[in-house]
Each structure stands twice: as structure tokens, then as C-alpha cells.
Amino acid sequence: MATSMSMVSKLVASIVLLLCWSTAYAQLRPNFYRKTCPRAISIVEEVIKETIANEPRMGASLLRLHFHDCFVNGCDGSVLLDDTTTFKGEKSAGPNFNSARGFDVIDKIKARIERVCSGVVSCADILAIAARASVVRLGGPSWAVRLGRRDSRTASLSGANNNLPGPGSSLSSLISAFSAQGLTTKDMVALSGAHTIGQARCLFFRSRIYNETNIDKAFAASMQANCPFTSGSGDNNLSPLDQITPNGFDNVYYQSLTTKKGLFHSDQELFNGGLITDSQVRTYSTDQAAFFTDFAAAMVNMGNIKPLIGRKGQIRRNCRRIN
């Protein structure tokens, strides 16, 4: 009886949480800055165009930055806060330290927007717009970014360490991590397609290419050439997550999974003989339009994670520190 009551309580709590998120989401809208800062979106897109023309990899970094922001206390710009002598934020967390990039790009965007409409556009919204602009610039789909988020006054080091799924995650832990954010397994598989762009350090895929069996042998050997077996040797050597079209947002990532060429353990877990995600991976590997549609929808869902609205939080004038 006690167990049943506990399950009911958890179900009720989940429903209440989803209702709260839905209410907040309803107040976000694509035209939020139409009157207060009509050039906001175009300014973001201009900087992204300039940035990716100079360094295509930065598109993946900015998309990842939005993801890492939303998975820790919601899409609130907390990942952008610098550490101080009395405060350690999310930049110091394992998944971000010496890994998260693009902060200077967000600074550049914020500075340009502040010159046009000061104290109006949140850093959290800039991250959301920059993520879409990056995907589009690299050939991926577009979607209606709902805006109106505000910025947090704090960050969570423990949240970044505990909430962000790592490259060694199992399928069950991936599902749990996304579910905890109100995202479905379908969302998870679609969002994982972000790994069709970007690069990874040897440190994060060494174990897979030397120790795992669910991997194409020729692929493993080619990766070993740039990632020595000895820990500490070549840890920072980079390899594209998608070996074929590393700077193109497409469905090649899923094609690689079907041939056991996923770079991360967590990638290959999506296609590992399980009934839960294998069929979705197969679909995306042959139907890029389906992947694009589902990725766009999943990005909208992710952008809905616990936004600060109304009078909560603030509009930071500098994304690295609170006002």
C-alpha cells in the first residue's frame, strides 16, 4: 500500500511539473521582441554567419552550449556565468571544463544587441537563437524559436555534473537523463543527431575504440591512429563525430550508427540491438527529412525546459555576470 501511494505521489508531482512548464511555455512566443528589439534575431544571425564562415566547428559548439544550459535548471543562461572568488558555476563542471566553447561569440552578440536595445534581450534567448542559426547555417532545419526567457542570477555546478549525460552513458541512463527534463525517448534520439557536426577529444572516446566489440574494426583502427592507447597521451587530439560530413548538418550520423561507427559509446547505444531506439535510428539513416522534422520539434521541446518568465530572474547586460 505504501509503495502504491509513493507511485501515485510521484505521478502527481510529475503532472504538476509538466503543467507548470506548459504554463511557462505558453508565455514564450516567436515575436516576443517584435516591438522592443526588432533587430535582435537578425543581429544574432549576422554574428553566426560571420563566425561559422571563419570556423565551421563553432556552430556545433554553440548548439551544445544551448543544450548544456537547458539541462541544468532550465534554459536560463546559467552556463554563461563566470566563476568568481566566491562562486563556482557550471563552467567548472566536468562536462564543460576545457570543453564548452563559444562564450566569446555570445559576448559579441550580446554587445551588438546592447548597443541597439539595452537591457531587453536575455542571454538565454540569445543562446536559443544562436543554436538555431548555427544549425541552419550548416545546412540543417529551421524552427520557430519561442522567446521571452529571462536569465538566472545563479548557476549550479552540481547540476552540470549530474544532469548532463556523458559520452560513456548507457541507453537506460540516457533515457532517464532526458526523461528527467521532460523529454521523450523520441526527442532524445532526434537531439542526439546534433552529433552530426562537431568534434570530440580522444579522452572521451578512447575506451570505446580500444575496448568495445560493438564497433567496426576498420573504423576503430582509423580512430586509434589519432588517439593513443596510453591515458594522458593525445587526450586532446580531436576527431569529428561524423567522419564523412563533419561540417554539414545531415543524417550521416545515423548512417554511421547502423554500421557500428558511432564515435561515443553513448552514440552507439542508440543502435545496439535494442527495440527502443534502433528503428528510429534506421528511419533517420534513410530519411533525412524525417530527422529534420523531428529534430526541429525536439529543439522546441528542449527550449521549453523550465524557462524563467515574467519577473523571475533578470535580463543580464553582460552574459558572464549578474547585474
Side-chain angles (χ1 to χ4, degrees):
M1 185 64 171
T3 301
S4 298
M5 289 301 293
S6 176
M7 291 177 65
V8 170
S9 297
K10 289 181 179 179
L11 178 60
V12 171
S14 297
I15 293 173
V16 170
L17 182 60
L18 287 172
L19 287 174
C20 290
W21 290 5
S22 297
T23 300
Y25 182 56
Q27 297 184 50
L28 301 179
R29 57 186 188 277
N31 64 350
F32 185 83
Y33 298 110
R34 181 172 61 87
K35 293 182 178 180
T36 56
C37 193
R39 289 190 55 207
I41 292 176
S42 63
I43 289 173
V44 176
E45 292 173 343
E46 287 167 7
V47 176
I48 296 303
K49 180 179 179 180
E50 296 166 4
T51 299
I52 290 181
N54 183 58
E55 184 189 0
R57 180 191 171 201
M58 188 56 73
S61 297
L62 291 167
L63 176 57
R64 182 173 181 257
L65 207 55
H66 179 44
F67 172 83
H68 280 216
D69 182 43
C70 291
F71 264 56
V72 183
N73 294 338
C75 308
D76 60 2
S78 59
V79 71
L80 302 173
L81 289 172
D82 281 344
D83 291 350
T84 69
T85 55
T86 59
F87 166 80
K88 282 206 172 290
E90 295 161 27
K91 290 181 178 179
S92 299
N96 293 325
F97 188 69
N98 286 335
S99 175
R101 305 169 68 243
F103 300 108
D104 55 336
V105 179
I106 300 302
D107 290 341
K108 185 176 182 179
I109 294 170
K110 181 63 171 174
R112 286 195 189 181
I113 290 178
E114 284 294 303
R115 287 197 292 268
V116 176
C117 35
S118 181
V120 173
V121 181
S122 71
C123 300
D125 277 348
I126 289 175
L127 278 175
I129 302 168
R132 178 186 64 181
S134 296
V135 170
V136 172
R137 181 55 50 180
L138 293 173
S142 184
W143 59 92
V145 179
R146 291 179 174 264
L147 304 168
R149 302 168 189 82
R150 289 169 65 84
D151 300 320
S152 68
R153 292 186 173 90
T154 187
S156 176
L157 176 64
S158 62
N161 279 322
N162 295 321
N163 296 356
L164 293 166
S169 298
S170 66
L171 180 59
S172 60
S173 64
L174 286 170
I175 292 173
S176 295
F178 279 75
S179 178
Q181 303 299 333
L183 298 172
T184 66
T185 300
K186 181 178 180 180
D187 289 330
M188 178 196 73
V189 178
L191 289 170
S192 296
H195 283 181
T196 194
I197 52 176
Q199 301 186 46
R201 289 190 289 161
C202 163
L203 173 68
F204 296 118
F205 60 84
R206 174 183 284 117
S207 179
R208 168 158 166 74
I209 63 175
Y210 284 102
N211 301 320
E212 297 187 13
T213 57
N214 187 27
I215 188 171
D216 178 83
K217 292 183 178 179
F219 171 72
S222 67
M223 293 299 97
Q224 290 169 8
N226 192 44
C227 184
F229 177 79
T230 305
S231 179
S233 177
D235 282 0
N236 293 323
N237 291 353
L238 295 171
S239 180
L241 288 160
D242 171 359
Q243 301 291 314
I244 309 301
T245 55
N247 295 321
F249 198 97
D250 51 33
N251 67 334
V252 172
Y253 164 79
Y254 297 102
Q255 295 171 10
S256 297
L257 297 187
T258 63
T259 55
K260 300 183 180 181
K261 296 176 183 176
L263 188 60
F264 287 156
H265 175 84
S266 57
D267 290 327
Q268 198 60 56
E269 280 288 276
L270 302 181
F271 193 83
N272 196 17
L275 298 176
I276 301 175
T277 58
D278 278 19
S279 62
Q280 191 176 346
V281 170
R282 283 197 190 94
T283 296
Y284 292 163
S285 71
T286 59
D287 190 344
Q288 181 168 280
F291 163 48
F292 278 14
T293 296
D294 290 350
F295 180 83
M299 286 297 293
V300 172
N301 291 339
M302 188 179 78
N304 180 34
I305 299 176
K306 296 184 288 187
L308 296 174
I309 57 171
R311 296 184 178 181
K312 296 180 179 179
Q314 61 180 206
I315 304 298
R316 285 190 228 130
R317 296 179 185 275
N318 183 323
C319 292
R320 291 177 179 265
R321 59 176 181 266
I322 61 174
N323 295 340

